[in-house]
Amino acid sequence: MKRWLPSPPLSLALFVVWLLLNQSLHPATLLLAAVLAIAVPLLTQGLRPARVRMRRPGVALKVAGRVAIDLVHSALVVARLLLTRRTEDIHAHFVEVPLDLRDPNGLAVLAMILCLTPGTAWAELSRDGATLRIHMFHLDDDKAFVALVKQRYERPLMEIFE
């Protein structure tokens, strides 16, 4: 079964989404949905990250709560900056963050956190995975930001995934 359906939830989701997009239960639509539900997971199997081994679910819940608070705070800060400062007074630039985190799932979660946070964007991960480049909308203290990322996100993600 795993050979034909390496990811049953993905196959089911593709099947249902195809039917919803086409708004039809015509046999041809059902057949194409089934073909896509089988073919897409098979073709993209090599693109999926390694299996997740979450070691500390309690820490994951704390990180999720912290991220939710940080997202709201960051959105308010960015909105305030956009409404109260002139363009030349906003210090947008790149910041280099040295990483100890190596787990691909942990890095993926870190990427999601940073990309979802208003004012930050994951720009590049070095080839050796030791340095992360982040674009900041506005930042006055690079060292404090690096310390924040390492303490608030990287360390807990290492506890969860490594």
Side-chain angles (χ1 to χ4, degrees):
M1 184 71 168
K2 274 284 191 193
R3 186 173 156 201
W4 288 100
L5 289 175
S7 178
L10 177 59
S11 294
L12 178 63
L14 286 168
F15 187 85
V16 170
V17 167
W18 187 258
L19 294 179
L20 290 172
L21 287 172
N22 285 286
Q23 297 180 357
S24 169
L25 292 176
H26 188 274
T29 304
L30 291 169
L31 179 63
L32 187 54
V35 168
L36 288 173
I38 293 170
V40 170
L42 287 173
L43 294 172
T44 61
Q45 194 170 8
L47 300 175
R48 282 188 223 110
R51 290 221 179 266
V52 177
R53 286 183 218 128
M54 190 179 300
R55 301 197 192 305
R56 311 246 345 245
V59 175
L61 289 173
K62 286 180 186 176
V63 170
R66 181 76 240 180
V67 168
I69 292 167
D70 288 347
L71 292 178
V72 172
H73 178 263
S74 184
L76 295 172
V77 168
V78 168
R80 183 180 51 81
L81 287 170
L82 287 170
L83 295 171
T84 62
R85 296 216 181 158
R86 294 188 324 231
T87 304
E88 57 270 6
D89 295 333
I90 295 175
H91 305 111
H93 64 281
F94 290 95
V95 178
E96 304 281 331
V97 179
L99 290 177
D100 298 316
L101 179 65
R102 295 290 185 260
D103 182 79
N105 293 304
L107 289 170
V109 172
L110 182 60
M112 287 186 285
I113 291 169
L114 293 172
C115 288
L116 287 173
T117 304
T120 64
W122 175 295
E124 177 183 32
L125 180 64
S126 64
R127 285 193 182 270
D128 63 356
T131 307
L132 168 63
R133 179 177 286 176
I134 303 171
H135 184 268
M136 298 297 302
F137 173 70
H138 178 79
L139 185 64
D140 292 323
D141 187 357
D142 291 6
K143 289 181 182 179
F145 177 75
V146 168
L148 180 131
V149 168
K150 293 188 79 54
Q151 183 264 333
R152 197 173 277 184
Y153 304 126
E154 184 185 31
R155 240 182 251 139
L157 290 174
M158 288 174 68
E159 284 183 46
I160 295 166
F161 293 106
E162 293 183 349

